[in-house]
Amino acid sequence: MTTAQLIQVLIPTLTALIVYIYHLVFQHLPAKQREALKLFAPEAVQAVQQLNASASNPEKKALAVSIVKGALKDFNIPVPSDASIGTFIESAVYALKQANAQVNAKNNVATNTTTVPASLVPPQWLGQPPTTPTGGTTPNPGGTQ
C-alpha cells in the first residue's frame, strides 16, 4: 500500500473517530460547561496563536488547556478533564484552519488577474452600451454623426 493510499484510508477513519469522541464528550458534560467551553476554547486558541505562534503544537495545546482551565475557574464553572478541554480546543483549531482556508480561497479569487480572451467575451445585447470603444471610435450620445 502506498503512502497516498494509506493517507486516503486514514483521514476518513481518523475524522470519524474524532467526531465520535467529540459526541461522547458532549453527552457527558453538563450544558453549562459545554457552553463555557464553546466560548473559551476558540478564544484560548486565538490567544495562543497570537502570543506563542513559534511554539510546537503540543505546547500550544497545553497553553490553550491552561487558559481554558483558568477561565473556567474565574467564572466558577467546574473544570472538566484535560481530554474534554482538549477536544474543544481541537475543534476550535479545526474551525480556525477552515476559516483561514476560506479567506485564502477568497483572496486567491480576488487577486486573479488573468484576462479573458476576446473569443470568450459575451456579445453586446440591444439596449446595452458597449463596455469599451471599438476601432478608435467613441459612442455618440446624441445619435448624430
Side-chain angles (χ1 to χ4, degrees):
M1 184 176 266
T2 66
T3 304
Q5 291 172 332
L6 185 62
I7 289 172
Q8 288 177 344
V9 170
L10 285 179
I11 288 177
T13 305
L14 290 176
T15 303
L17 182 63
I18 289 170
V19 168
Y20 176 73
I21 291 171
Y22 188 72
H23 285 285
L24 282 178
V25 168
F26 267 132
Q27 290 175 355
H28 295 294
L29 284 179
K32 189 174 182 181
Q33 285 178 316
R34 280 194 303 246
E35 293 303 317
L37 285 172
K38 284 182 188 179
L39 292 173
F40 295 146
E43 298 296 326
V45 167
Q46 289 178 356
V48 169
Q49 277 299 110
Q50 288 177 349
L51 300 174
N52 298 69
S54 62
S56 68
N57 288 340
E59 290 172 344
K60 288 179 185 179
K61 186 174 180 180
L63 287 170
V65 168
S66 67
I67 290 171
V68 170
K69 281 182 175 181
L72 290 170
K73 287 178 185 175
D74 288 345
F75 288 94
N76 295 323
I77 298 171
V79 178
S81 69
D82 286 355
S84 296
I85 296 171
T87 301
F88 281 88
I89 288 174
E90 291 295 334
S91 176
V93 168
Y94 179 76
L96 182 65
K97 287 181 180 179
Q98 291 297 326
N100 287 340
Q102 288 178 353
V103 167
N104 289 339
K106 286 181 183 178
N107 287 341
N108 288 341
V109 170
T111 59
N112 187 358
T113 58
T114 59
T115 57
V116 177
S119 62
L120 296 178
V121 175
Q124 295 294 322
W125 301 102
L126 294 176
Q128 293 182 345
T131 56
T132 58
T134 57
T137 61
T138 57
N140 190 355
T144 60
Q145 303 252 346

